[in-house]
Amino acid sequence: MSEKNREGKRTAREKLAVEREKQRSADKRRRTLIVGGAVVAVLGLAAVIGVVAANAGKDDDSEASGPVVAPSGAQGKDGLAIPVGKDSAKSTLTVWEDFRCPACKSFETAYRPVIHELTNAGQLKAEYHLVTLIDGNMRGTGSRNAANAAACAQDAGKFPAYHDVLFDNQPPEADDAYADNGKLIELAGQVDGLDTPAFRACVEDGKHNGWVAKSHQAFDKADFSGTPTVLFDGKNIYQDRTMTPAKLKQMVQEANQG
C-alpha cells in the first residue's frame, strides 16, 4: 500500500473517532439534561407537597383547638377568668397557672389555705386563668387537657375542689400524665359528684380546648415572665420576695377595712 493510501485511511479513522466522540458527548449531555430535569421535577413536586403539608399543618393547628366555648360562669375580658369567691369582695387576686407547672404547685401549697380562708369569708375574689406553658416547653398536651378538665369541673360547679386535686396529684414536669383523659377522669372521683357522664363527655370531647388556647394567647400577649403570675388588685405580687401568705392576708384585711 502506498504511503498516500495509508495516510488517507488514517485520516478517515481519525475523523470517525472524532465523530464518535462528538456523539458520545451529545448523548452524555442529553442524559444529563434528562436526569437533571427529572430531579428538578421531583424537587418541585416535593416542594409543592411540602407547602401543602405545611399549610395543612397550619390549618390543623388553627382548628385543632375547636370553637371557643367558655365554661359556665367565666368572667373578665373575653370570659377567660374562672372566678372563686364573691363578686362583692373588695380585693381581687388574679392567678395565671399551668397544671403541669411545679412552681404553680409550690404557690398553691403555700398560699392555698389563706386564699380559701379569704374567699370563703367573702373578703377576696380569686380569678384563675389557665395556660399551657409547659406543653410548649416540654412537649405534650397535659397542660391543655388538664385545663379543659378543670373548665369542665367549672361547668359542674366543682372547679375549686378539682383545681386542688389536680395540683395535689401533679406528675413530674417531664411526665405528660395529664395528657391521658382517663387519668383526669379518675382524679375526678376524688371530688364528690363530679364524675358524671356529662363531665366525662366534656373531658373526652375537649369541649373547652379552644377556650384554653385563647386563655394562653392572652397570657402571651400580656408578656408575663412565667407561671405562676399572681396579681393583687392588678399588681404583680409574686415577684415580691418579701411576700408571704401572712402578708397577703394582711393586705386583704387592710383593703377590706378601707
Side-chain angles (χ1 to χ4, degrees):
M1 180 181 296
S2 67
E3 184 65 27
K4 185 176 181 180
N5 287 339
R6 281 198 297 269
E7 182 65 24
K9 288 186 177 182
R10 185 164 55 249
T11 301
R13 286 196 300 269
E14 290 174 352
K15 289 182 178 180
L16 181 59
V18 169
E19 290 300 322
R20 286 175 177 172
E21 183 60 31
K22 288 182 179 180
Q23 185 65 40
R24 281 197 295 269
S25 297
D27 290 343
K28 184 177 181 180
R29 284 196 301 272
R30 187 166 56 254
R31 287 195 299 271
T32 300
L33 289 172
I34 293 172
V35 172
V39 170
V40 170
V42 169
L43 291 176
L45 179 59
V48 171
I49 293 173
V51 170
V52 171
N55 289 336
K58 289 177 181 178
D59 290 341
D60 289 344
D61 289 342
S62 64
E63 299 176 358
S65 297
V68 177
V69 180
S72 176
Q75 298 179 353
K77 183 179 179 181
D78 297 326
L80 297 178
I82 295 179
V84 175
K86 296 180 180 179
D87 289 336
S88 59
K90 292 185 177 181
S91 297
T92 301
L93 191 73
T94 304
V95 184
W96 296 79
E97 290 182 318
D98 183 326
F99 287 112
R100 291 180 68 187
C101 164
C104 297
K105 180 176 181 177
S106 296
F107 167 77
E108 286 293 328
T109 300
Y111 284 82
R112 180 191 298 167
V114 72
I115 293 174
H116 282 340
E117 176 187 347
L118 295 169
T119 53
N120 290 337
Q123 297 181 16
L124 178 70
K125 177 183 177 182
E127 294 183 342
Y128 291 92
H129 295 257
L130 309 181
V131 300
T132 58
L133 192 64
I134 306 300
D135 281 358
N137 293 342
M138 303 294 294
R139 305 292 183 185
T141 59
S143 299
R144 183 200 67 186
N145 289 14
N148 172 68
C152 294
Q154 170 66 10
D155 288 340
K158 305 285 185 178
F159 173 81
Y162 188 63
H163 164 274
D164 292 352
V165 166
L166 287 175
F167 278 116
D168 289 343
N169 293 272
Q170 184 188 78
E173 185 177 12
D175 181 359
D176 195 24
Y178 283 169
D180 179 5
N181 286 329
K183 176 67 174 178
L184 298 170
I185 291 172
E186 176 188 334
L187 290 175
Q190 298 184 28
V191 179
D192 290 342
L194 179 57
D195 187 6
T196 64
F199 174 79
R200 288 182 173 229
C202 182
V203 171
E204 292 170 348
D205 294 344
K207 178 180 178 180
H208 299 296
N209 283 353
W211 175 82
V212 173
K214 190 169 184 178
S215 179
H216 185 79
Q217 289 171 4
F219 174 80
D220 282 340
K221 289 179 181 178
D223 200 28
F224 293 127
S225 59
T227 53
T229 291
V230 185
L231 311 176
F232 179 72
D233 289 340
K235 180 182 178 181
N236 194 329
I237 62 169
Y238 196 66
Q239 294 178 338
D240 180 357
R241 295 187 178 183
T242 68
M243 184 58 57
T244 63
K247 184 175 180 179
L248 173 61
K249 183 175 181 179
Q250 181 182 355
M251 292 167 64
V252 172
Q253 291 174 336
E254 289 175 353
N256 277 272
Q257 291 172 0

